[in-house]
Amino acid sequence: MKRSLRILCVVLFGMLPAVSLSSCGGGGASGGNGGGGGNTITIKGNFAGGTHVAKSPWLNRLLAWIIPPAHALNQNAVIKIMAFHGNGGYSVSNVTDGSFSIAVETGSPIGLISVGANNSYLGYLTLQNGVDSIPLTKLGQNVNTIDLQTLSSSSSMVTPSYNPLGSELPLTSAEQIAIAQGDNFFASLIKNPDADGNGTIDFLDGKFFRPYITYFITGGTFGASLTPTVTTPAPIDGFRFGLHAKDATRPGTVYFTGPGGSGLSNAASAQPPLVNTDSTAYGSPYVTAPAIPPAGQYLVSYKTSTLTFDISDQSSAPSNIILAVPTVTLNGNGTTINKVTWVYKPGSGGGATLDPLAVISSVMLQIEGNGTPCASYQQGLTRIYNAENLPATTVEHVLACQNLLWSNVTQIFMAYNDVYGNHNVVTWNK
């Protein structure tokens, strides 16, 4: 009778700068570096998996034969912890006697994956209820440690005996639903960190490929009011499948293929890519049929490689996605716009509001209409106002020009990036 050994390594996700792999000290020592919120928190846990633990490897094997372990992970095989951030940066810490402790930066979500001998991928940690990452965007006061306690596994899913959601991570139920929706595309990386299929985890190969989604949503209509009536659940009108690539050299065009009925079949990236110093973002053509991408395998032809991402069911997106609901305030003349304020609400409706720091990275206010625009905008003739890349904490914007007539406005777009790098454009018609 033979038992397969499993090795767990933790990989952490977030929107942080890339770092190089560092050698690690023994015990809980950490290596590498990263960026993000600037503050750190310690994540720890153990793979002991029961009381029949012995220091002698041969005795452990004998005890495992006599008393089958309750957990699939063998503590003697766990080697190291890797902190993997959302744009490819990572750091490393060793595991000693089945336990790990690693300092990670707060302010961004993290995920956990299992890695075995020769850096082979084995599985991923889930907090269940659709949350496959640890959202370190919202921490309780004075929290500096999260102890996941004992980790157990079933197939490739690893579950902690202690779930920090609702305690160290004080997310409301509405915020947890929004997080679960947002991390769907990040989860495809947690479940397959070797997207190009060359046998090496991508970030260990000096590359990083992150899928993301852009949803186009109709939030509702202003009518005669300065606050729109919200349509629930918020209908999604279409999507773009996106790829964020970090690589030494990156192509000008990539090609997207989805499962049957996805509307994507070797479709060239439609817009000019957004090129940064060390990364490039590509978007697929705008797809309206279907308006929501079906679950399944999405392929991206990237140079000579094919990147593979398994995307989970998105049918609940209209109810689970976030809406930025605006309210317009007019000047004393009752005709020109003074400012726009907004709140974040779940697409399912109701009175719940969401803490923007928990779910939002940045926000944009865009106004369509006629008449003289506030400035010259590249988006086209109907754009009369733009306020882009506002911090997540911004929920009020006083217009830079005070002469825009409310009667000239036809639409307000409230667009935002969530903490997982997805982009959502919410339209409010007038």
Side-chain angles (χ1 to χ4, degrees):
M1 177 178 182
K2 297 182 179 179
R3 297 185 179 275
S4 61
L5 299 181
R6 297 195 178 203
I7 304 172
L8 190 71
C9 161
V10 178
V11 175
L12 310 177
F13 278 93
M15 303 297 291
L16 306 173
V19 296
S20 59
L21 180 63
S22 301
S23 59
C24 307
S30 297
N33 53 38
N39 297 317
T40 61
I41 186 172
T42 298
I43 305 291
K44 64 181 183 178
N46 69 81
F47 312 117
T51 58
H52 53 281
V53 176
K55 294 295 183 181
S56 170
W58 72 265
L59 185 54
N60 277 325
R61 288 193 294 270
L62 177 62
L63 288 171
W65 178 277
I66 299 172
I67 308 173
H71 302 73
L73 299 174
N74 185 315
Q75 69 151 359
N76 300 298
V78 178
I79 299 173
K80 55 192 174 183
I81 301 295
M82 296 180 181
F84 173 0
H85 310 290
N87 69 349
Y90 62 97
S91 55
V92 184
S93 178
N94 284 349
V95 173
T96 300
D97 293 334
S99 297
F100 69 87
S101 177
I102 188 168
V104 297
E105 293 200 17
T106 61
S108 47
I110 64 174
L112 308 174
I113 71 167
S114 312
V115 176
N118 300 317
N119 293 320
S120 58
Y121 172 78
L122 294 177
Y124 66 97
L125 182 137
T126 178
L127 297 182
Q128 299 185 337
N129 295 323
V131 180
D132 295 322
S133 63
I134 301 179
L136 293 180
T137 52
K138 188 174 182 179
L139 288 172
Q141 192 172 15
N142 300 321
V143 171
N144 52 33
T145 300
I146 294 177
D147 187 355
L148 299 172
Q149 300 181 18
T150 300
L151 303 179
S152 60
S153 66
S154 174
S155 186
S156 63
M157 294 191 303
V158 178
T159 307
S161 60
Y162 177 76
N163 192 327
L165 287 177
S167 49
E168 289 89 348
L169 306 174
L171 295 161
T172 66
S173 58
E175 289 164 357
Q176 290 185 38
I177 290 171
I179 286 292
Q181 175 63 41
D183 85 348
N184 279 339
F185 286 77
F186 263 115
S188 68
L189 284 182
I190 301 172
K191 298 170 185 178
N192 179 29
D194 177 21
D196 63 6
N198 70 350
T200 303
I201 293 174
D202 294 330
F203 70 84
L204 294 177
D205 216 14
K207 298 171 290 189
F208 180 72
F209 306 107
R210 173 171 57 83
Y212 64 92
I213 193 72
T214 297
Y215 278 128
F216 297 86
I217 307 134
T218 297
T221 305
F222 279 96
S225 174
L226 295 175
T227 299
T229 299
V230 179
T231 302
T232 54
I236 293 177
D237 305 314
F239 73 92
R240 293 184 190 273
F241 193 98
L243 173 72
H244 174 269
K246 193 166 191 174
D247 198 357
T249 61
R250 304 175 300 279
T253 303
V254 300
Y255 298 85
F256 297 89
T257 297
S262 68
L264 295 174
S265 180
N266 200 36
S269 45
Q271 299 173 314
L274 178 60
V275 180
N276 298 305
T277 302
D278 62 352
S279 65
T280 299
Y282 308 88
S284 77
Y286 179 44
V287 179
T288 58
I292 299 172
Q297 194 171 80
Y298 286 77
L299 309 177
V300 182
S301 294
Y302 177 88
K303 296 193 293 190
T304 59
S305 299
T306 297
L307 311 179
T308 303
F309 306 103
D310 289 306
I311 304 302
S312 60
D313 178 41
Q314 297 290 296
S315 61
S316 63
S319 294
N320 295 344
I321 210 159
I322 305 165
L323 305 178
V325 183
T327 294
V328 175
T329 299
L330 302 180
N331 287 307
N333 57 24
T335 60
T336 57
I337 303 172
N338 171 251
K339 66 180 180 179
V340 178
T341 58
W342 55 90
V343 295
Y344 295 102
K345 290 182 173 291
S348 58
T353 57
L354 296 89
D355 179 358
L357 282 177
V359 291
I360 303 297
S361 175
S362 62
V363 63
M364 307 175 189
L365 165 65
Q366 303 166 326
I367 302 176
E368 298 284 301
N370 49 64
T372 303
C374 186
S376 178
Y377 303 113
Q378 63 180 5
Q379 284 88 346
L381 297 176
T382 61
R383 181 63 50 86
I384 60 175
Y385 193 82
N386 252 7
E388 298 187 344
N389 300 317
L390 302 174
T393 51
T394 304
V395 292
E396 175 180 293
H397 178 75
V398 177
L399 270 60
C401 58
Q402 293 287 301
N403 60 347
L404 293 184
L405 291 170
W406 175 236
S407 60
N408 284 346
V409 173
T410 56
Q411 292 176 315
I412 290 181
F413 298 138
M414 296 299 303
Y416 66 88
N417 297 312
D418 71 14
V419 293
Y420 292 96
N422 302 307
H423 186 66
N424 296 302
V425 181
V426 186
T427 301
W428 303 96
N429 295 308
K430 177 174 175 287

